[in-house]
Amino acid sequence: MAKRDYSLLGPDGARAVETGLAAAEWYHTDVPRKVMKDLMTRSDAPAIRDTIILYGCMIAFAAGGIALWGTWWCVPFWLAYGVLYGSASDSRWHECSHGTAFRTPWMNNAVYEIASFMIMRNSATWRWSHARHHTDTYIVGRDPEIAIMRPPAFAKVILAFFGIPDVIAFIPRMIRNALSGPTAEEKTFVPQSEWGKVQRVAIIYTAIYAATIALALALHSILPLMVIGLPRLYGAWHHIMTGLLQHGGLADNVIDHRLNSRTVYMNPVSRFIYWNMNYHVEHHMFPMVPYHALPRLHETIKHDLPAPNRSIAEAFREMWPALKRQLAYEDFFLRRDLPPTAKPYREDFHKAALGEAIPAE
Amino acid sequence: MPQWIRACATDDIDEEDLIRFDHGSATYAIYHSPDGKFFATSGKCTHEDVHLCDGLVMGHLIECPKHNGQFDYRTGEAKRAPVCVNLKTFATKVDGDDVYIEVP
């Protein structure tokens, strides 16, 4: 059984480079060029509509929470506000980092900066970390965004529903970035030309949080922090719930997104919060397709993909036992069956990449 | 010594689209702009080893299919992260129904 080293500076990452697993050519379903061009077409309208709804709801819920502060009636308002702040910001950060949400670049950038602040990710650093996540999805030692490492740290996973590990990691990193720029690990994926920007962004974030804390102290109330900062804790649960399903329990060190990513059918509210990233195999295979076209892409290529999970609950019922098995046996993963219409997995290639046979579910 | 090589027919590429063209060990991207002109660049993104031919042409921009970096394919200029290094560009000419590029 292999022990995994997830450090970007460790031996697993170096081995991935040596074996050609890093920056490899990944499997893609064949889609006619005209169909793909149509799917990739950009539009401002869906994202403007969704952004007005999102920020409008956030203002309304925050106003309700402030107006009813001091009574129990404020609780549902803060819970709703928190999910939009601490979870919807994750998907907005994500889509706008790809530049696909809006057709107009400044709109992508504006929402990206706001969402990055809310989700507590340095907007300069994370643009590059996410590029690496797409290059080397779940390649150990290469992908800086592996949510569940093996063996899974269940306590950390549970705490993540309340945003605790992310915030604990973010605050000292923000201060360190503000004082001295990116860390040694960050320098492995952020180009040198962007190091100054990493520091500037961290200084701005630090100043905003310092001002919010100062206001809270001046008012002798945590109310300012209920609006800025704390929702990243009390509203994080939805993005963790959906985010864990993206790759949890599936293969690592493979170059076929059908093996390491999961598509899950979800309810409309979760899809709004998550901006359709439940179509995750599709998103990884074709990251140029905007979120609003992912349902159409799914219909186009589903003949070549494993059957999606039918609901969030069903996906958790599949993933959670697999994570528990990984506690005892790190190499275990769920291998998802392909329909007869699909092109088969390249067993030979993945055997070579893994250095051993693929364990069957 | 630079030489002109036939890359494709003019109607091989829809307007606002591109195709891949390989010559020897080199790979190129040939573009048909919305105003009917043809352009050529090196065929792979400067960020990572990804062919641009599966990317999206929007006006005079080509977007890489892997990380959504963008270049102005007329000048090769890198326009959107994560690309930082410009693309190489190559001269083109149309002769009859054929598109030629000048390769080194």
Side-chain angles (χ1 to χ4, degrees), chain A residues 283-356:
Chain A
H283 166 67
H284 266 280
M285 207 180 267
F286 299 105
M288 299 181 67
V289 174
Y291 77 95
H292 52 79
L294 285 175
R296 280 193 292 136
L297 174 60
H298 172 69
E299 289 302 318
T300 305
I301 66 172
K302 66 181 182 185
H303 65 277
D304 199 36
L305 308 184
N309 293 100
R310 309 298 301 180
S311 67
I312 293 172
E314 188 207 87
F316 265 87
R317 281 198 296 273
E318 174 192 75
M319 177 185 73
W320 207 254
L323 298 182
K324 285 165 72 176
R325 282 196 63 180
Q326 286 175 352
L327 276 178
Y329 180 56
E330 276 188 41
D331 287 345
F332 176 79
F333 65 90
L334 293 164
R335 184 178 165 179
R336 318 194 82 207
D337 290 336
L338 291 169
T341 49
K343 279 192 184 169
Y345 298 127
R346 287 191 55 187
E347 305 278 351
D348 55 331
F349 191 90
H350 292 122
K351 201 180 291 182
L354 288 162
E356 58 184 58

Side-chain angles (χ1 to χ4, degrees), chain A residues 81 85 117 120 208-209 212 223-231:
Chain A
Y81 175 76
Y85 185 113
F117 172 78
M120 294 189 177
I208 294 172
Y209 288 118
T212 307
L223 195 52
L225 289 162
M226 289 297 287
V227 180
I228 295 174
L230 289 180

